[in-house]
Amino acid sequence: MDGRGFAARYGRYAGGPDPLAPPVDLAEALEAIGHDVMAGYDPERAMREFLRRGGRQQTGLDSLAAQVAARRRELLQRHSLDGTLRQVRELLDRAVLSERQQLARDLDEDARFAELQIENLPASTSAAVTELAHYPWRSAEARETYQQIRELLGQELLDQRFAGMKQALQGATEEDRQRVQEMLSDLNDLIEAHRLGDDTDQQFADFMDKHGEFFPEQPRTVEELVNALAARSAAAQRMLNSMTPEQRAELLELSQQAFGSPELSRALGRLEDNLQLLRPGMDWGGSESFDGDQGMGLGEATGVMQDLAELDALSEQLSQEYAGARMGDVDVDALARQLGDEAAADARTLAELERALSDSGYLRRSSDGRLTLSPRAMRQLGRSLLRDVATRLSGRQGARDTRHPGMAGEPSGATREWTFGDTEPWDVTRTVGNAVLRTVGEGRDARRGVALDIRDVEVVETEARTQAAVALLVDTSFSMAMDGRWVPMKQTALALHTLLHSRFRGDRLELITFGRYAERTGIESLTGLEPVWAKGTNLHHALLLANRHFRQVPQAQPVLLIVTDGEPTAHLEAGGEVFFDYPPHPVTLAHTVRELDTSRRLGAQTTFFRLGEDPGLARFIDQLARRVDGTVVAPELDDLGAAVVGSYLGSRGWSARGFGLDDLEGF
């Protein structure tokens, strides 16, 4: 160290994604995607829908697109294109007024003739400026004001093609104007040589060495230079197209007076011709309708036209409706220019969400190229649904933790606070730890000893060793989808599946769907199942499959859970054909009841979950439940998962009301 110290500068990080930014939370996105998948969307479309809608604290593409559209409307409704024409008119009126005042003081005959010329100027601004091009001004103030018109026109015409040129030429000398003319001549020579296919690398380098000050963006190649100039020139042409025919004619005539000669206008026309030949695919013919009263100069109006083009490009990028669309297509720098840093940050977060969903393993490509939810995604989604179930169960009135572990219980791996009547063994480590924390919290020195308090005691939870064979029968008739019960049914199945495979791994779960036919299904297939219009609610076939499951695990306690919104209208006949009739045929009812009786003989604990308010269905389900000493639950759709999981927990000797979020630790 030499004692001089070091200077430090701080600014926005520009080396890619912010390394200190918190990782994106995929839980909400995965939950929304899973819901849409269950509703029938394919996962890729579901992901696109989430990005479009956004989350609870995340702005989505639709909101950003709405901001882009509002910004576009605001530009069109605020501005008008006649700013330069107004300014020229004001300068012309001021010059004419000064000249009239001078002529009124002069008494010679020439002054009278000049007064006639001034009084009979054309009404058209451009025609009047042209007629006064060679007028011998007597007023020095008028002459200077008229010269300002020529300077303004030159600056505006250059500002149209080279952003910032108007400010750069404020107070410019004749020598400065000559340097601009020389730059334009050299630029046209360079671009024409490039258009003809000549090797222009050295010519470009020489040009930038000589005229680089006019191009602060510092293009590195001729192509970059042409792209920048063509984009600006095309915007200038669209601006002209957006003027009224009268305004356009006025401006074209006035351009001949720029800097006092038509030379600048010719050089710019030559440049535009060259650029149109090199970039014919650009929008040279578009136009806009400006409705405001805030006049813009030619350079400013061209900049606004570029803004409008950039907003249109952003609108398309944010729509994500074209083939192969990805969030990485969104130009966040353009978004920051148009809407600010917050909008750009929202777009970056959405892009990171998309990238994280693709890279996290939650979505995978199947053999046929379709995007599907991976097993990892299913587990994560199931945990989310199960947490919601636990919240609902633990929030019920009168909830009390009343587990019934049984004498043959085994540790579950969890602990809980001791309550009167508990006979489970203490968890010594947790109990002593609680005592130490309480002692220190009360301000006493733990080194002098720790006294146990009944509040410190935690006991080891145990669970019954009895295995359960669980059959969840879910109605997949079209009425379930038609009445909005399709997604809650799937969520219920996934929550129960997650609970068994996480907390009760020894139990055997069979998922059985029943519409016109019944079939055993995996959780992945059920999650992606789409509704099919087919007549029939074949509970009989579903019970056949459930009883087969019970017989395959004879040592297990059978648990039968049936979710339905309709009476049985179909049964399976001896030959495997389906018999359907509506209203329910007595033979169908007989077959269904007979198979339900078989479930009872196998020892099944049966619970019916009746959906809907049909009185006939309620009477029928009640009769079936009484016949097999079962239970009927008529939950609201939002409470279906909690009802099914609660019924299962009850069959396992757990208090459903006491089941809460703490029971999900380690999932």
Side-chain angles (χ1 to χ4, degrees):
M1 295 286 290
D2 59 7
R4 289 178 296 178
F6 295 95
R9 290 189 305 164
Y10 298 89
R12 182 183 300 277
Y13 178 75
D18 185 353
L20 301 180
V24 293
D25 182 9
L26 297 181
E28 182 186 6
L30 186 61
E31 183 178 347
I33 290 170
H35 184 280
D36 285 350
V37 168
M38 292 180 187
Y41 289 81
D42 68 81
E44 185 149 17
R45 182 181 175 191
M47 180 176 70
R48 297 287 157 212
E49 284 295 305
F50 177 77
L51 295 175
R52 184 179 62 78
R53 294 191 305 262
R56 287 183 291 272
Q57 295 182 338
Q58 174 59 51
T59 300
L61 289 170
D62 280 358
S63 177
L64 290 174
Q67 293 178 52
V68 166
R71 167 71 173 157
R72 196 182 198 286
R73 286 194 303 272
E74 187 259 338
L75 288 176
L76 292 173
Q77 293 171 1
R78 184 204 307 170
H79 296 297
S80 67
L81 299 178
D82 60 351
T84 297
L85 295 177
R86 287 189 204 174
Q87 202 170 353
V88 169
R89 185 77 236 182
E90 290 171 3
L91 290 171
L92 177 64
D93 290 344
R94 192 190 313 163
V96 168
L97 178 60
S98 297
E99 183 68 7
R100 282 175 175 167
Q101 291 172 344
Q102 180 63 47
L103 291 173
R105 291 191 291 269
D106 294 344
L107 303 178
D108 57 279
E109 290 296 326
D110 289 340
R112 305 288 75 78
F113 178 78
E115 280 181 335
L116 288 174
Q117 187 176 355
I118 291 293
E119 289 297 333
N120 291 284
L121 284 174
S124 164
T125 301
S126 59
V129 171
T130 300
E131 185 167 320
L132 291 171
H134 302 291
Y135 176 80
W137 298 93
R138 295 195 175 207
S139 166
E141 181 182 352
R143 184 184 306 107
E144 181 181 349
T145 302
Y146 182 80
Q147 185 59 33
Q148 288 178 25
I149 293 176
R150 291 177 161 180
E151 295 292 331
L152 172 66
L153 290 170
Q155 293 165 8
E156 289 285 8
L157 288 174
L158 286 169
D159 205 37
Q160 269 191 299
R161 270 67 177 188
F162 307 92
M165 188 68 80
K166 180 178 180 180
Q167 290 75 19
L169 289 177
Q170 294 286 350
T173 64
E174 183 61 30
E175 182 182 353
D176 294 328
R177 288 191 286 272
Q178 287 300 321
R179 290 180 59 248
V180 170
Q181 290 283 10
E182 186 179 0
M183 181 273 291
L184 285 173
S185 178
D186 291 346
L187 178 61
N188 277 314
D189 291 343
L190 171 63
I191 291 179
E192 285 172 356
H194 179 68
R195 180 169 60 83
L196 295 173
D198 296 345
D199 183 357
T200 56
D201 290 347
Q202 187 58 50
Q203 189 177 355
F204 171 75
D206 294 341
F207 175 84
M208 291 302 297
D209 286 342
K210 184 177 180 181
H211 303 295
E213 63 186 288
F214 293 105
F215 303 93
E217 62 273 17
Q218 289 297 303
R220 293 168 297 179
T221 64
V222 179
E223 285 294 311
E224 288 186 9
L225 177 64
V226 169
N227 285 337
L229 292 173
R232 184 78 177 179
S233 188
Q237 185 58 52
R238 293 195 301 275
M239 186 272 294
L240 287 174
N241 297 341
S242 303
M243 288 181 160
T244 65
E246 294 77 17
Q247 290 173 333
R248 189 159 52 246
E250 289 263 301
L251 186 60
L252 291 175
E253 186 173 350
L254 283 171
S255 66
Q256 303 301 312
Q257 300 301 320
F259 292 149
S261 78
E263 192 175 331
L264 175 63
S265 180
R266 286 196 294 268
L268 292 175
R270 178 185 168 197
L271 175 63
E272 183 169 316
D273 291 341
N274 284 321
L275 293 172
Q276 288 202 38
L277 289 170
L278 282 167
R279 295 293 183 269
M282 282 192 171
D283 182 10
W284 298 90
S287 63
E288 299 289 349
S289 297
F290 289 85
D291 303 321
D293 54 11
Q294 183 175 321
M296 296 182 292
L298 300 184
E300 183 185 359
T302 300
V304 168
M305 296 301 294
Q306 286 188 291
D307 285 341
L308 292 172
E310 192 167 68
L311 289 167
D312 288 340
L314 284 170
S315 181
E316 182 179 8
Q317 294 161 12
L318 293 170
S319 75
Q320 296 282 287
E321 292 180 353
Y322 49 92
R326 291 291 181 269
M327 279 302 306
D329 301 340
V330 178
D331 187 341
V332 291
D333 292 332
L335 204 59
R337 284 193 296 271
Q338 298 299 334
L339 301 182
D341 291 338
E342 186 175 345
D346 287 330
R348 288 190 185 95
T349 302
L350 289 173
E352 181 61 26
L353 265 173
E354 180 188 59
R355 189 162 45 249
L357 284 168
S358 300
D359 297 345
S360 63
Y362 287 138
L363 303 176
R364 65 179 183 181
R365 291 284 175 189
S366 62
S367 57
D368 60 359
R370 293 192 312 112
L371 204 63
T372 61
L373 291 178
S374 68
R376 181 184 178 190
M378 298 294 294
R379 290 193 297 272
Q380 178 69 25
L381 186 57
R383 285 194 289 266
S384 175
L385 293 170
L386 195 53
R387 286 191 183 93
D388 180 63
V389 165
T391 300
R392 291 178 179 275
L393 287 174
S394 62
R396 290 179 175 178
Q397 293 296 321
R400 182 174 182 273
D401 195 357
T402 54
R403 313 284 199 278
H404 300 288
M407 293 298 293
E410 59 182 3
S412 67
T415 64
R416 59 180 171 80
E417 184 180 346
W418 178 89
T419 58
F420 181 77
D422 280 334
T423 59
E424 288 82 5
W426 287 14
D427 185 311
V428 177
T429 302
R430 295 293 296 269
T431 299
V432 174
N434 290 340
V436 172
L437 291 173
R438 180 181 50 77
T439 299
V440 174
E442 292 173 353
R444 292 185 284 130
D445 189 351
R447 292 175 296 182
R448 296 185 176 181
V450 176
L452 288 179
D453 188 280
I454 193 63
R455 294 170 294 172
D456 304 325
V457 178
E458 290 197 29
V459 297
V460 176
E461 282 195 337
T462 61
E463 60 185 23
R465 288 177 181 163
T466 304
Q467 184 184 23
V470 184
L472 175 61
L473 282 55
V474 291
D475 187 345
T476 55
S477 60
F478 196 74
S479 61
M480 290 284 287
M482 186 171 59
D483 294 332
R485 298 161 186 155
W486 197 254
V487 173
M489 173 270 291
K490 293 182 178 183
Q491 291 174 326
T492 297
L494 183 53
L496 183 62
H497 178 274
T498 302
L499 178 62
L500 266 73
H501 283 75
S502 304
R503 192 69 175 83
F504 298 92
R505 296 183 180 89
D507 288 359
R508 297 276 297 275
L509 173 64
E510 188 79 275
L511 296 174
I512 299 171
T513 61
F514 62 98
R516 188 173 184 83
Y517 288 91
E519 62 178 322
R520 302 161 56 193
T521 186
I523 190 61
E524 292 86 359
S525 299
L526 178 59
T527 301
L529 184 66
E530 296 185 11
V532 177
W533 172 254
K535 296 180 178 180
T537 303
N538 199 336
L539 179 58
H540 167 247
H541 192 186
L543 289 168
L544 282 170
L545 296 176
N547 290 334
R548 180 186 300 173
H549 173 57
F550 297 150
R551 292 188 182 98
Q552 289 173 344
V553 197
Q555 76 280 7
Q557 167 64 51
V559 177
L560 180 61
L561 308 172
I562 304 171
V563 178
T564 185
D565 69 346
E567 299 174 72
T569 57
H571 68 269
L572 203 63
E573 296 194 315
E577 299 85 4
V578 169
F579 174 88
F580 166 80
D581 195 17
Y582 183 84
H585 195 281
V587 175
T588 297
L589 297 179
H591 277 73
T592 303
V593 170
R594 187 182 308 121
E595 204 57 39
L596 191 62
D597 288 343
T598 301
S599 299
R600 183 184 184 186
R601 286 195 300 273
L602 292 172
Q605 300 177 17
T606 303
T607 304
F608 292 92
F609 301 91
R610 175 176 55 80
L611 303 179
E613 304 297 330
D614 182 10
L617 175 64
R619 288 192 298 270
F620 176 74
I621 294 295
D622 287 343
Q623 291 172 1
L624 290 183
R626 284 195 298 270
R627 184 181 182 91
V628 296
D629 195 22
T631 304
V632 178
V633 180
E636 298 293 330
L637 278 180
D638 289 345
D639 209 33
L640 177 60
V644 171
V645 169
S647 177
Y648 164 74
L649 289 171
S651 73
R652 304 298 287 117
W654 284 58
S655 168
R657 290 184 177 184
F659 184 78
L661 292 174
D662 292 341
D663 298 302
L664 300 180
E665 290 183 2
F667 272 25

